[in-house]
Amino acid sequence: MKTFNELLKIVEQEIENISYPDGPKNFYDPVKYILSLGGKRLRPVFGLMACNMFSDSVDEAVKPSVGMEIFHNFTLLHDDIMDNSMLRRKQPTVNAKWGNNVAILSGDGMTYIATKYVMASPAWARGQVMDIYLKTAIKTVSQREILMAVFT
């Protein structure tokens, strides 16, 4: 069984190796930036740990796990806009660097990038994985909207 740090290294390498089109730069640069700020990466590592409980190989779970991390960072990006935050992990937020419009569009794009990664699940599990992913995504976003309505 792989250690947390071994799995973290796999996740970090996969994020570092994400291939982005050449442009538009104002769309992809904020995505690269927010993902480069690091973080604990607990979601993807825990996903790989769960996979590793049943298999010696975690290869088929890497992309879907990274997809969850991309989705998580999308929610942080949009939270920063909604909260008018200027710092994330002691660095300027995407909205502070590029403005709210670019941050919204880049965040929206991150949901599609995340979905592409989650869709890389093995064919035998893809339907179930996508169902759970989409239910979770809808619940995550709708819960934030409910809280905003109550407190604003």
Side-chain angles (χ1 to χ4, degrees), residues 4 7 11 41-54 58 61-62 64-66 68:
F4 181 93
L7 295 171
V11 168
R41 310 284 195 214
L42 294 177
R43 287 155 194 83
V45 172
F46 287 166
L48 294 179
M49 288 175 107
C51 176
N52 203 197
M53 287 173 51
F54 300 99
V58 297
V62 173
S65 294
V66 167
M68 293 307 301

Side-chain angles (χ1 to χ4, degrees), residues 85-142:
S85 297
M86 295 292 116
L87 293 176
R88 162 85 42 206
R89 300 178 183 131
K90 299 181 183 176
Q91 299 297 319
T93 58
V94 169
N95 52 301
K97 285 179 67 90
W98 284 277
N100 285 345
N101 291 343
V102 169
I104 289 167
L105 292 174
S106 293
D108 290 348
M110 289 177 78
T111 64
Y112 307 122
I113 296 167
T115 302
K116 179 181 173 184
Y117 270 75
V118 174
M119 282 291 294
S121 299
W124 61 268
R126 190 172 301 129
Q128 288 179 300
V129 170
M130 283 304 298
D131 186 55
I132 293 167
Y133 167 71
L134 293 171
K135 284 178 183 174
T136 303
I138 290 166
K139 189 169 187 169
T140 300
V141 173
S142 67

Side-chain angles (χ1 to χ4, degrees), residues 16-91:
E16 190 176 304
N17 289 338
I18 294 173
S19 177
Y20 300 96
D22 290 335
K25 288 183 74 51
N26 273 353
F27 179 80
Y28 290 107
D29 283 354
V31 175
K32 291 182 215 177
Y33 173 76
I34 190 75
L35 292 174
S36 75
L37 294 181
K40 295 180 286 287
R41 310 284 195 214
L42 294 177
R43 287 155 194 83
V45 172
F46 287 166
L48 294 179
M49 288 175 107
C51 176
N52 203 197
M53 287 173 51
F54 300 99
S55 173
D56 289 335
S57 174
V58 297
D59 295 346
E60 289 183 322
V62 173
K63 285 193 184 302
S65 294
V66 167
M68 293 307 301
E69 182 69 5
I70 295 167
F71 179 81
H72 170 65
N73 277 270
F74 142 73
T75 66
L76 297 178
L77 197 153
H78 276 200
D79 279 350
D80 289 342
I81 297 164
M82 294 169 76
D83 298 340
N84 200 28
S85 297
M86 295 292 116
L87 293 176
R88 162 85 42 206
R89 300 178 183 131
K90 299 181 183 176
Q91 299 297 319

